Amino acid sequence: SSLESHPSGMYLNGAEMYDDMRAMIEATTYGGDWWTKVPGGEMHVWDLVPQPITYRAFEISNLLQINWSWDVRYLSSGEQKRVQLLLGMQIDKELVILDEATADLDVDQRHELLKFLFLESVRKGTTIIYTTHIFEGLSGWPTEVIFLDKTLGGVHSSIELSTFADAEEPELFKKVTERLVTLKAGEPFA
């Protein structure tokens, strides 16, 4: 897919994103409103996934180490996050927006998810928007880092990562950290 930003708005595949909400919703996976309360009553992972279960759903469940017989009432926060990622990504979409998607995952699951998303981008042209405050392990993964500023109510700046393609991760992490420190220094303490 092609996601472009212009002064007049955001465009997905050449069409302004908010002009055709149905097309935008059909093309987008969003993961960010993570469960704060699990569904009531006995319910297993296989009950949440539409039948028949697709190859893609099996692939995601394997990479995130999800047990289809888990009762969702008794899941840890990391297991909940993994099931929610499965539910959100079981259908192939052109645009994937994930907000702190790896916060409760262990290192191996985080690595597998990021590898899967990277391959989705490279092989299928899927656009991945991944918000995080954890930059370790991301070297070579993003094409751009965009810094949002709550005092501006939007984008503060960005770093094109093609200039860091061969950089060691500490160098990239240092650059991102310097930008974040500068950004936070301008925020009021109120």
Side-chain angles (χ1 to χ4, degrees), residues 138-186:
L138 292 180
S139 183
W141 193 82
T143 54
E144 184 174 7
V145 175
I146 298 172
F147 298 89
L148 302 177
D149 184 348
K150 66 182 177 183
T151 62
L152 296 175
V155 174
H156 173 269
S157 61
S158 66
I159 299 175
E160 284 286 336
L161 295 184
S162 58
T163 59
F164 289 92
D166 298 322
E168 293 292 318
E169 185 167 302
E171 183 182 343
L172 171 61
F173 185 65
K174 179 181 176 191
K175 185 75 170 171
V176 169
T177 302
E178 288 171 355
R179 187 72 58 94
L180 287 171
V181 167
T182 301
L183 181 61
K184 294 305 278 181

Side-chain angles (χ1 to χ4, degrees), residues 24-38:
M24 185 181 82
I25 290 168
E26 288 175 1
T28 305
T29 290
Y30 172 73
D33 290 333
W34 308 108
W35 287 341
T36 55
K37 185 175 168 184
V38 297

Side-chain angles (χ1 to χ4, degrees), residues 6 24 38 47 59 63 68 88 98 115 134 148 152 163 165 167:
H6 298 281
M24 185 181 82
V38 297
D47 296 321
E59 181 182 24
L63 79 92
W68 291 91
L98 297 173
K115 183 169 71 173
I134 303 168
L148 302 177
L152 296 175
T163 59

Side-chain angles (χ1 to χ4, degrees), residues 83-84 111 117 145:
V83 169
Q84 292 167 350
H111 174 76
L117 293 170
V145 175

Side-chain angles (χ1 to χ4, degrees), residues 31-176:
D33 290 333
W34 308 108
W35 287 341
T36 55
K37 185 175 168 184
V38 297
E42 183 175 349
M43 186 176 294
H44 299 91
V45 174
W46 67 62
D47 296 321
L48 299 172
V49 178
Q51 303 296 324
I53 296 172
T54 64
Y55 174 79
R56 183 180 176 85
F58 274 115
E59 181 182 24
I60 293 168
S61 71
N62 285 337
L63 79 92
L64 294 176
Q65 302 170 345
I66 294 170
N67 184 327
W68 291 91
S69 64
W70 283 342
D71 184 333
V72 297
R73 296 174 296 176
Y74 305 112
L75 299 180
S76 69
S77 60
E79 291 166 340
Q80 285 179 4
K81 181 71 66 85
R82 288 156 44 200
V83 169
Q84 292 167 350
L85 286 165
L86 166 65
L87 296 175
M89 296 190 323
Q90 65 184 321
I91 298 171
D92 196 7
K93 302 284 184 145
E94 298 175 57
L95 174 63
V96 176
I97 302 171
L98 297 173
D99 183 12
E100 296 292 347
T102 60
D104 295 314
L105 302 183
D106 69 27
V107 173
D108 292 332
Q109 293 157 353
R110 179 177 185 266
H111 174 76
E112 289 301 313
L113 176 64
L114 292 174
K115 183 169 71 173
F116 175 81
L117 293 170
F118 178 82
L119 291 174
E120 289 281 287
S121 178
V122 171
R123 292 179 183 160
K124 298 178 181 175
T126 304
T127 299
I128 312 291
I129 298 175
Y130 174 79
T131 64
T132 188
H133 64 280
I134 303 168
F135 291 93
E136 293 89 359
L138 292 180
S139 183
W141 193 82
T143 54
E144 184 174 7
V145 175
I146 298 172
F147 298 89
L148 302 177
D149 184 348
K150 66 182 177 183
T151 62
L152 296 175
V155 174
H156 173 269
S157 61
S158 66
I159 299 175
E160 284 286 336
L161 295 184
S162 58
T163 59
F164 289 92
D166 298 322
E168 293 292 318
E169 185 167 302
E171 183 182 343
L172 171 61
F173 185 65
K174 179 181 176 191
K175 185 75 170 171
V176 169

